Structures are given as C-alpha cells and as structure tokens.
Amino acid sequence: MKKKAFITGIAGQDGSYLSELLLEKDYEVYGIVRRNSITEHQRNRLTHLDNKIELSYGDLIDKSSLDNVLKKIKPDEIYNLGAQSHVRVSFEIPSFTFQTNALGVFNILESMREFSPKAKFYQASSSEMFGRSVDEDGCQRETTKFEPTSPYGCAKVFGYNLTKHYRKAYKMFAVNGILFNHESKRRGSNFVTTKVVKTAVRIKNKLENELVLGNLDSSRDWGHSSDYVNAMHLIISQDLPVDYVVSTGETRTVRDLCNYVFLKLDLDLKKYLKTSEKFMRPEELPYLKGDSSKIRNELKWSPKYSFEDLIDEMINFWQENYNNENLNY
Ligand code: F7E
C-alpha cells in the first residue's frame, strides 16, 4: 500500500518541493490550503502537480478542519510546514503569528493524538529560535540555547517544545528539523534573497531604478529548499524521533548577497542600493551560522547546492520571468 503524507503549508516553497519529492517516492500526498479572497494565488507553486495531489481547505487555527482531514486520510506522515513565515511581518501581526505558529502546532498535535496517533509528525522548527545566541566557536547547533528576537522566533520555540513534550508524554513520533534559511526560485518576493535578485533583474531591464533594503549587516546561512526537504524526509524516516539542525555551515551578510547578484548582472550596486527604516525590525537577529555535523554524520545528509548555485538559479529564473504577471510569489 502507498504511504500517505499530509502537509500543512503545502502551497508554500517547501510544501511544493516536498510534494514533488514524496510523489517521486510514490506517496499519496494530501494538503490543506487556507481560504483566500484571490483563489488563483493560492496554488501557484502547485499547478504543475494538479491531479497528483489532493488539496482541501483547512487552517491550523481551526482544529475542526484538522480533525476532519486526519479522520479521513489517516496519514502515515504529517509535515507541519504551515506558518506565518515572515519574521518582520510577525512584529506587525504578533497575535496571528502566535495563533498559527504556536497554537497551530498544539492543534495539529492534539488532532493527531486523537485521530492518528501512530502517524509520524515533523515540525518545521527554525534557526530563528536561536536569536542572539551563538556558541563560542561562532555556530548554532542542536545544543545551543534559544534566545529568540521576534514574535515569530518565540512562537517557533513554543512549537519546538510542544513537539518534544508530545514525544515524551504520549510516546508519539514527533520530531523537529531546525532549518536555517532556505531559498529557491519559488521563494516569496518579500524575503531578502528573492527581493534582491528580482529587483536587480528588473533594474537590468530598466523596469526599476533602486533597491531599498533594511539591515545590510545581518548574516545568514542560506541553503536551497530542495536540499532541505530531503533532510525533512530523512529525519521523519528514522525509526526513532531525533531532532536535527539543517544548514550549510556558511554565512554571508545581506551586503555580500547584494554584491554577488549585482556583479553577476554587471550592475554598479552603489548606484542603486538604498536603505529604509521601513524594512528594519524592532529587534534584529544579527548572525546565523549552523553546524549541521549531526545530520551529516548520522543520516549522511549533505546539500547539493552551493550558495552560488542557488543564487545563479534564482537569477536565471527571474531573468526569464521578471515580466510574468502570472507569477504571484
Ligand atoms: O531576512 C535582512 C533581514 O526575511 C533575512 C524565514 O524563512 O528564515 C527566514 O527568516 C535578513 C534579515 O529571512 C531586507 O533583516 C534586509 O536579517 O529573508 P528574510 P529571515 O528573517 O532570516 C528563517 C530561518 C525562518 O524560519 C523564516 O520563516 O535580511 N533584510 N533588508 C531584509 N529582509 C527582508 N525580508 N526584506 C528587506 O528589505
């Protein structure tokens, strides 16, 4: 019998790559999407998978919608990727962020405990949980303490702890992947990688004349989403639930990212780059660099994409699509 996977956040970047991976592995793939006033914007990343996956309306905030789906599907694996995933936006809508990213985890774990207790559960935990905390060697790893610097990070710490709690208290297979930033051509336009690449390509094509950013000095460890969904699947496929950090181990500043992209496009960054308070955060997470030795050693995971491969792929994609009005992410 085919394995069944249920994905919250299936319409997002990771949800779409994970669906592709699981279909390749011959899973039946199910997911929920939230109701949105512009229907056609919701499934943009999934149109190529039409008829191969089964979608229904649902919301992490609405436990009855999760109960109904779990009762019906009885999945073998549950991937909780649904979230209000934008850190700066979490300062503007903190309550919604807590309801979705923290209470949402509670809702799905409770629903699973009631209707699908034998399923395996993967929680999308985040390097944003580390906040200001860095080990002496300049890395964050599974043992690094959490000092979150945003409503998003605080909510993710709640979800992380709850996942561990359900594992211990109810002996459920509930596991955390602590993923550092991961990007791709399907990354939303208000995250910094896509914003820089897309704007630079539009400047090159004379459609825009400036790039306005917030903090240029923060450092991030950027990997590729397709490598990271492989890690999710490896983590959930183990016999025992063990939490892992997933990262490249390299860090660059936002300024380094801009330099790379503008140089590739033969543009003079100084002429176009501006900063604005609008894109600053009330509290910034200044530095992320993940040590992923544990997953590399124990599960033999390693990323296929280098930073340059990732950004080059994004540049090529946006060069082909900078004018495509049907692409709404
Ligand atoms: O910002 C700086 C910004 O929004 C990266 C999410 O997937 O990864 C992501 O969160 C950095 C920050 O990602 C702009 O201040 C400067 O230091 O691309 P981002 P993020 O906040 O790191 C973690 C692991 C997650 O879990 C999240 O869900 O870039 N930055 N200027 C800017 N960022 C944005 N978005 N826009 C700017 O104009």
Side-chain angles (χ1 to χ4, degrees), residues 5 9 14 90 112 155 164 171 174 189 195 210 244 284 321:
D14 292 359
S90 78
M112 174 176 158
K164 280 180 86 166
K171 313 282 172 276
S189 294
K195 183 172 171 182
E210 59 179 23
Y244 288 97
E284 175 65 277
N321 289 289

Side-chain angles (χ1 to χ4, degrees), residues 157-279:
V157 172
F158 181 99
Y160 168 90
N161 282 325
L162 205 66
T163 300
K164 280 180 86 166
H165 168 61
Y166 272 63
R167 172 158 94 213
K168 291 202 177 119
Y170 305 116
K171 313 282 172 276
M172 283 159 56
F173 188 110
V175 74
N176 290 286
I178 307 175
L179 271 51
F180 282 59
N181 297 53
H182 45 285
E183 320 294 310
S184 72
K185 58 192 179 185
R186 297 184 195 157
R187 184 59 140 156
S189 294
N190 59 353
F191 292 92
V192 78
T193 50
T194 301
K195 183 172 171 182
V196 170
V197 170
K198 193 174 166 185
T199 310
V201 168
R202 287 174 64 83
I203 291 173
K204 184 78 186 170
N205 288 282
K206 312 227 174 313
L207 291 169
E208 287 187 48
N209 51 24
E210 59 179 23
L211 169 65
V212 188
L213 293 177
N215 186 355
L216 302 175
D217 298 319
S218 52
S219 297
R220 289 292 182 272
D221 177 332
W222 281 294
H224 195 294
S225 172
S226 68
D227 283 331
Y228 286 37
V229 300
N230 278 325
M232 291 178 193
H233 186 251
L234 267 178
I235 293 171
I236 212 173
S237 300
Q238 301 310 305
D239 291 337
L240 295 174
V242 177
D243 302 334
Y244 288 97
V245 154
V246 182
S247 67
T248 71
E250 291 179 17
T251 190
R252 290 175 178 77
T253 62
V254 172
R255 195 188 299 279
D256 293 336
L257 166 73
C258 294
N259 277 324
Y260 182 81
V261 173
F262 278 69
L263 192 66
K264 267 267 155 181
L265 290 169
D266 202 16
L267 291 168
D268 181 3
L269 179 63
K270 287 193 297 300
K271 265 173 66 183
Y272 304 103
L273 182 59
K274 295 199 173 109
T275 55
S276 161
E277 273 300 311
K278 190 175 157 196
F279 300 112

